Structure formats: structure tokens, C-alpha cells
């Protein structure tokens, strides 16, 4: 007998919850045959609609349904973490409620766990239905991460992932406040099988991520899993010192040969603007890391629970 915990972050998803539940329960025959029990954790991430009421309604019919309701919106990362902390399953799967992580794929994922994998992850092979600008920047982000981070972060990887208890415990041992799960999954290692599928569009409602939020999230990812930008500041510093040194030599030699005609105001302005720009940029990089460190040392809780059942 085994237990499979299903973790579902929900933020204003009243319409999707019944749809999701129906699809999910469609798999129960498969799991029953393999002697696996299910438990469903809906994490209400401070929804302002009837998400909680929908989950409660399910709970009345089905004792395997659990709710963890946050005191406010803490973000999907926090919701996933709360789910992992509360889950007790030998296997744990994290998935979205909007059907973009198809529940019908779960049996296939589970089958691969028997082949000696610790985790079965999914990635989208295309980004159909997504604005082209967003896809472009997403690709750029993954390409950049590949270069500046030692942690493997796979392009198109979803958070839809089935894991063994051992891997979940490893993830839970990472208590960092600034959570970037795509990186954490890669960082803990373990043997992972990748399944690919075509992008599915959201069943009901709207995505919670606009371009700006995604941009900030990508910065979180960079700061959390690479220190290369900090090095960039030093490299630029060295580069500008060398340029400055050459310029000084040039000016001294020119003075000795041609005397000192007062000119070169435009070039001076350009140099000042350029170097101060670079300085601000580098200070900004430091600021980013400092800000993350500041949030980290405060040790605030990752989420606060208002209600559970
Ligand atoms: N979500 C959440 N908290 C948030 C934003 C989103 O728990 O602050 C949940 C949301 O309910 C959904 C999943 O995270 O189940 C993915 O969100 P969404 O579909 O908006 O993201 P996308 O699929 O567009 O990347
Ligand atoms: Mg979605």
C-alpha cells in the first residue's frame, strides 16, 4: 500500500476546481489497481473568489480532499512549499489546477517511477497560445541561465512533477525564503525522467502572470542560482581600469608632443556618462543580491496559514 499526495496551488480558481477534481478522480482506477491511495491538497493562496467554498464542497463528498488556506496571497512558490510540507505521501506530485498540467498524464508519469527514477518531470515542447514576445524572452532567459548557472534549469520545464519521498525531503531541507522551484528541482539532483507534451491552454480564467511579474521572477531565478552577475561587476571594473590607464598614457604622450590645446569636451562628457552608467549598473547588481540577502536574513515565514482541513 502506498500513498500519492497531489499538491494543487490555487489562486482565484473557483471555476477550475471542479473540472480538475473530475479529471483527477478519473485516474483513481489506475491507482487502485496498483494499491496506491490518493490524497489531494488544494492550497488556497489567498483567493478572493469562491475557491475555498469549492474545495469545502469537494471535501464534503470526499475525505481525501484537504485544504490549506493562506492568510493572503503569498505566490505559487509558497503554495507549493506549503503543500510539500503538509504532504505525507510516498510519492508527491505538484500540478496546476487550470488543466495546463493534464491530470491524464499522471498514470504514465507514475509508470516511469517504477523504472528506478526518483522523479518524473514534464516539459512543453512548444509555447502555442503564448504571446511571441513572452516566448522570446523566456527562451532568452533559459539560454542565459545555461551560461551563468551550474544548476540545470530546463527550457519549457513545467512545475508538474512527480517525486519520491526522498526527493521531497531534499527539497524541504532547502529552507530559503526566495524560492525558485525550477532551480531547486535541478539543484537537489536525483534521477529525473523527462516527459514532453504539447502546450495546453488554460481551461477557465486568466493567467496570474503578466510580463512584468515574469520579468521579476526571472531576476529572482538569476539571483538565486548564479553569482556570475557579481563577477560581471568586477570584470567591468578591471576593464575600465585598463582603459583609463591607456587613456592616461595617451594624454601624457599627446601633451608632450603637441603641447596642450584645450579641447576634447565632448569626449570627456561621453566618458563620464559611460563610466557613471556602468557604476550605477554594477551598484544595481550588488543591490539585487543585497536585497535578497536582506530578505533571507529576516527569516520571515514563507507562508502563513489561516485555515486547514
Ligand atoms: N497560483 C498561485 N498563486 C499565485 C499565482 C498562481 O497559487 O499567486 C497558481 C494558479 O492558481 C495555478 C498555478 O499557480 O494553479 C499556475 O498559475 P497560472 O496558470 O496563472 O500560470 P501560467 O500557467 O500562466 O504560468
Ligand atoms: Mg496556467
Amino acid at each position: 500500500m502506498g500513498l500519492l499526495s497531489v499538491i494543487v496551488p490555487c489562486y482565484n480558481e473557483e471555476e477550475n476546481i471542479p473540472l480538475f477534481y473530475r479529471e483527477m478522480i478519473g485516474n483513481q482506477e489506475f491507482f487502485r489497481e496498483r494499491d496506491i491511495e490518493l490524497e489531494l491538497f488544494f492550497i488556497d493562496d489567498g483567493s478572493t473568489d469562491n475557491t475555498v467554498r469549492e474545495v469545502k464542497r469537494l471535501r464534503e463528498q470526499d475525505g481525501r480532499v484537504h485544504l490549506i488556506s493562506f492568510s493572503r496571497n503569498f505566490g505559487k512558490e509558497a503554495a507549493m512549499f506549503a503543500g510539500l510540507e503538509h504532504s505525507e505521501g510516498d510519492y508527491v506530485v505538484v500540478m496546476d489546477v487550470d488543466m495546463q498540467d493534464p491530470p491524464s498524464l499522471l498514470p504514465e508519469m507514475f509508470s516511469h517511477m517504477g523504472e528506478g527514477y526518483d522523479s518524473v518531470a514534464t516539459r512543453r515542447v512548444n509555447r502555442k497560445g503564448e504571446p511571441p514576445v513572452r516566448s522570446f524572452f523566456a527562451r532568452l532567459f533559459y539560454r542565459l541561465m545555461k551560461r551563468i548557472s551550474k544548476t540545470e534549469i530546463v527550457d519549457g520545464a513545467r512545475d508538474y512533477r512527480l517525486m519520491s519521498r526522498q526527493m521531497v525531503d531534499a527539497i524541504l531541507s532547502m529552507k530559503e525564503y526566495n524560492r525558485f522551484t525550477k532551480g531547486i528541482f535541478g539543484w537537489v539532483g536525483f534521477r529525473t525522467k523527462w516527459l514532453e507534451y504539447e502546450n495546453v491552454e488554460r481551461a477557465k480564467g486568466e493567467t496570474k502572470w503578466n510580463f512584468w511579474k515574469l520579468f521579476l521572477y526571472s531576476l529572482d531565478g538569476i539571483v538565486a542560482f548564479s553569482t556570475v552577475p557579481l563577477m560581471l561587476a568586477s570584470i567591468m571594473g578591471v576593464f575600465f581600469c585598463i582603459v583609463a590607464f591607456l587613456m592616461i598614457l595617451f594624454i601624457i604622450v599627446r601633451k608632450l608632443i603637441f603641447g596642450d590645446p584645450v579641447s576634447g569636451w565632448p569626449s570627456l562628457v561621453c566618458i563620464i556618462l559611460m563610466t557613471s552608467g556602468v557604476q550605477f549598473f554594477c551598484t544595481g547588481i550588488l543591490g539585487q543580491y543585497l536585497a535578497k540577502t536582506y530578505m533571507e536574513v529576516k527569516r520571515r515565514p514563507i507562508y502563513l496559514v489561516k485555515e486547514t482541513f
Side-chain angles (χ1 to χ4, degrees):
M1 202 75 190
L3 180 65
L4 169 66
S5 311
V6 182
I7 292 168
V8 199
C10 306
Y11 179 47
N12 293 343
E13 302 277 10
E14 55 180 8
E15 292 176 300
N16 286 319
I17 285 171
L19 295 175
F20 174 84
Y21 177 77
R22 206 172 321 132
E23 278 258 344
M24 192 65 215
I25 288 307
N27 292 323
Q28 67 180 357
E29 209 42 52
F30 173 90
F31 288 107
R32 193 175 294 146
E33 283 165 12
R34 282 156 188 81
D35 244 358
I36 299 288
E37 261 193 85
L38 292 177
E39 59 172 3
L40 297 171
F41 280 95
F42 289 93
I43 323 296
D44 157 47
D45 185 11
S47 301
T48 48
D49 66 355
N50 290 321
T51 296
V52 172
R53 203 204 294 160
E54 286 298 328
V55 179
K56 282 185 175 162
R57 189 176 301 158
L58 289 179
R59 165 74 179 194
E60 279 160 20
Q61 308 158 10
D62 187 341
R64 296 171 297 180
V65 172
H66 303 268
L67 172 79
I68 301 165
S69 189
F70 287 176
S71 60
R72 64 168 169 86
N73 181 245
F74 280 87
K76 186 186 172 187
E77 292 290 341
M80 287 195 284
F81 184 71
L84 293 178
E85 274 197 326
H86 285 78
S87 71
E88 285 174 355
D90 310 293
Y91 306 95
V92 179
V93 62
V94 179
M95 55 202 299
D96 290 0
V97 72
D98 60 3
M99 313 291 237
Q100 286 192 294
D101 296 338
S104 53
L105 204 64
L106 195 54
E108 190 189 337
M109 290 166 74
F110 191 82
S111 309
H112 288 294
M113 287 298 270
E115 296 163 9
Y117 289 104
D118 302 292
S119 155
V120 182
T122 57
R123 63 181 286 261
R124 307 186 281 184
V125 283
N126 61 5
R127 291 175 169 271
K128 194 180 72 196
E130 203 182 61
V133 187
R134 184 177 295 189
S135 306
F136 172 77
F137 280 102
R139 293 233 167 75
L140 199 68
F141 169 73
Y142 286 108
R143 276 223 298 278
L144 179 71
M145 280 311 265
K146 197 169 240 150
R147 282 172 183 264
I148 64 172
S149 176
K150 287 197 189 105
T151 305
E152 196 198 6
I153 296 172
V154 179
D155 187 3
R158 307 265 323 158
D159 293 334
Y160 188 14
R161 188 185 278 253
L162 178 64
M163 292 166 279
S164 65
R165 182 80 251 166
Q166 196 186 14
M167 182 162 171
V168 172
D169 287 341
I171 290 170
L172 288 174
S173 72
M174 296 175 77
K175 300 273 184 224
E176 59 212 72
Y177 179 81
N178 297 289
R179 301 191 77 79
F180 185 73
T181 300
K182 287 185 202 317
I184 291 177
F185 284 149
W187 194 90
V188 296
F190 295 99
R191 277 194 75 200
T192 300
K193 162 94 185 164
W194 286 93
L195 294 184
E196 298 185 340
Y197 69 96
E198 299 256 314
N199 190 28
V200 187
E201 288 188 39
R202 163 181 258 290
K204 293 267 163 60
E206 297 256 305
T207 173
K208 313 295 180 301
W209 299 86
N210 56 32
F211 188 79
W212 180 242
K213 261 180 141 178
L214 280 173
F215 176 71
L216 293 181
Y217 186 56
S218 71
L219 289 188
D220 278 352
I222 293 172
V223 174
F225 283 93
S226 172
T227 48
V228 170
L230 284 174
M231 217 151 73
L232 199 71
S234 318
I235 292 170
M236 280 211 257
V238 171
F239 173 76
F240 272 85
C241 286
I242 293 171
V243 171
F245 182 70
L246 293 177
M247 286 286 284
I248 291 167
L249 279 185
F250 171 73
I251 287 164
I252 292 174
V253 170
R254 196 177 61 167
K255 157 86 184 154
L256 291 178
I257 298 174
F258 299 106
D260 189 24
V262 178
S263 68
W265 183 83
S267 57
L268 200 61
V269 170
C270 292
I271 292 165
I272 290 173
L273 284 179
M274 171 75 185
T275 47
S276 56
V278 170
Q279 278 177 13
F280 277 128
F281 180 68
C282 293
T283 317
I285 293 176
L286 281 177
Q288 285 296 319
Y289 282 87
L290 179 65
K292 295 292 172 199
T293 314
Y294 177 57
M295 291 313 287
E296 213 61 67
V297 295
K298 283 197 202 193
R299 296 194 159 274
R300 285 186 181 162
I302 295 170
Y303 61 89
L304 289 175
V305 173
K306 191 180 81 184
E307 172 181 27
T308 54
F309 61 72

